Amino acid sequence: MALDPDDPRPPYVQVANALRAAILTKVFKAGDKLPSRAELAKKYDVAPMTVQSALRELRDEGLIVSRQGSGVFVRERTERPVGLRPHIEQAFTSDRVTIDFAGFSGETLHGILQEPLDKIRIGRLTPETIHVRILVPDPTVPWSVPCTVEDRADSPAFRERAAEIMRRHTLAIVDNVTELGELGLVKDATAEVRVHPAAPLFKLYLINNDEAFFGFYPVREHVLSLDGQPQAIYDLMGKDAILFHHSTIDDDTSTGSQYVEQARTWFDSLWNTIATEYKR
């Protein structure tokens, strides 16, 4: 099953999408062992390193786990991992797209949005409206977490580092979305970022008012170089957050519509009260 030569996406992305779809549609069920890297390379007619990159994508999403000496397995459903990317990509097939995000930096969202936005630029997707809202912590005020390991204190140097990451990803989303409106590719395209003073211990995505994805940020210790000096920090590990899916349309990964309604209420309550404009 060779990849589509007309698909502009990198080969590893195409392989990851094919495997992701096979997992989400239960071709590979929870606990199943995936074919070996060599077998997958032969199946998709790509290099083994391409397969390795594709598997890394799925591992980062929490869909698969590697067991040394045994191979790669689909995660057990008791952990309820959900792939966010295909749901956001599907959302862009609608005429009206709304995406709300609350979390730490917006880095994951930035990466996922690149593909559907690129498809709009080349005419493969044609939504009429796109509205994106992003809620992130205010990097100009002290944080309770992340914090230093030594005395659990706020670290201004860490906040400045985090602010750079936050600016890079959130403002890129704003620029990329609004550009579509300026180019006339989307009738109404807006993206806005607001900040709030609370420590974000979880991430939340609301998609087209129909789906919510929620995950807790684990807090773990690691050492960073800040101002040229090593610093042990208790940090929020976004890539380790397993997402839980909630939908107004019940399916086998959803816990129903009530959660979506309450998540929307929570998001709007922050957006319309204590959140303020994120100044460039």
Side-chain angles (χ1 to χ4, degrees):
M1 184 191 299
L3 301 181
D4 182 357
D6 295 325
D7 193 325
R9 296 173 297 178
Y12 83 91
V13 173
Q14 295 185 55
V15 173
N17 283 357
L19 291 173
R20 185 186 300 108
I23 293 171
L24 294 177
T25 58
K26 297 185 178 179
V27 173
F28 294 121
K29 299 180 177 63
D32 282 355
K33 182 179 178 180
L34 295 184
S36 69
R37 187 171 64 172
E39 290 170 329
L40 290 172
K42 182 177 180 180
K43 177 178 180 179
Y44 294 108
D45 193 21
V46 296
M49 288 301 295
T50 299
V51 173
Q52 183 171 322
S53 297
L55 294 176
R56 186 181 303 115
E57 288 273 306
L58 301 181
R59 191 177 298 111
D60 288 345
E61 294 173 18
L63 285 173
I64 61 174
V65 291
S66 296
R67 298 173 186 165
Q68 190 170 6
S70 299
V72 178
F73 295 80
V74 179
R75 234 185 236 278
E76 294 295 337
R77 300 303 292 175
T78 53
E79 298 185 22
R80 295 180 63 84
V82 179
L84 177 66
R85 187 183 300 271
H87 291 267
I88 287 186
E89 291 178 356
Q90 180 63 31
F92 275 83
T93 64
S94 301
D95 289 337
R96 292 172 175 79
V97 180
T98 64
I99 297 177
D100 292 334
F101 167 75
F104 190 54
S105 70
E107 181 176 0
T108 298
L109 180 62
H110 180 206
I112 291 175
L113 285 177
Q114 294 311 299
E115 186 170 329
L117 297 185
D118 283 344
K119 287 183 177 180
I120 293 173
R121 293 187 184 96
I122 63 177
R124 294 178 65 182
L125 290 174
T126 56
E128 294 183 0
T129 65
I130 302 174
H131 298 298
V132 179
R133 298 189 298 175
I134 301 171
L135 275 172
V136 288
D138 188 345
T140 68
V141 300
W143 290 344
S144 56
V145 62
C147 62
T148 62
V149 170
E150 182 179 6
D151 51 11
R152 292 173 173 73
D154 171 65
S155 170
F158 181 91
R159 275 191 287 113
E160 179 54 35
R161 177 182 180 273
E164 284 298 322
I165 297 172
M166 196 181 298
R167 279 192 290 267
R168 181 164 67 249
H169 295 291
T170 60
L171 298 184
I173 292 172
V174 172
D175 290 343
N176 291 340
V177 170
T178 56
E179 179 189 44
L180 297 176
E182 293 167 357
L183 293 174
L185 298 175
V186 178
K187 291 181 181 178
D188 182 13
T190 64
E192 186 178 355
V193 183
R194 292 187 184 180
V195 295
H196 60 85
L201 297 179
F202 61 85
K203 60 168 64 176
L204 172 69
Y205 301 86
L206 291 160
I207 303 173
N208 285 2
N209 294 319
D210 290 326
E211 296 182 285
F213 292 82
F214 176 90
F216 295 102
Y217 285 127
V219 177
R220 299 206 172 105
E221 176 182 347
H222 67 136
V223 178
L224 298 173
S225 178
L226 300 174
D227 294 334
Q229 299 294 324
Q231 174 70 67
I233 293 287
Y234 284 130
D235 198 2
L236 303 171
M237 310 306 291
K239 290 186 177 180
D240 292 342
I242 293 175
L243 293 178
F244 296 81
H245 181 212
H246 309 265
S247 174
T248 57
I249 302 173
D250 290 337
D251 59 28
D252 63 353
T253 66
S254 171
T255 56
S257 61
Q258 186 176 14
Y259 184 93
V260 176
E261 179 183 350
Q262 292 303 310
R264 164 66 59 189
T265 300
W266 175 86
F267 188 98
D268 285 340
S269 72
L270 260 68
W271 188 265
N272 295 320
T273 57
I274 63 173
T276 56
E277 180 185 356
Y278 186 30
K279 301 186 182 300
R280 292 175 179 256

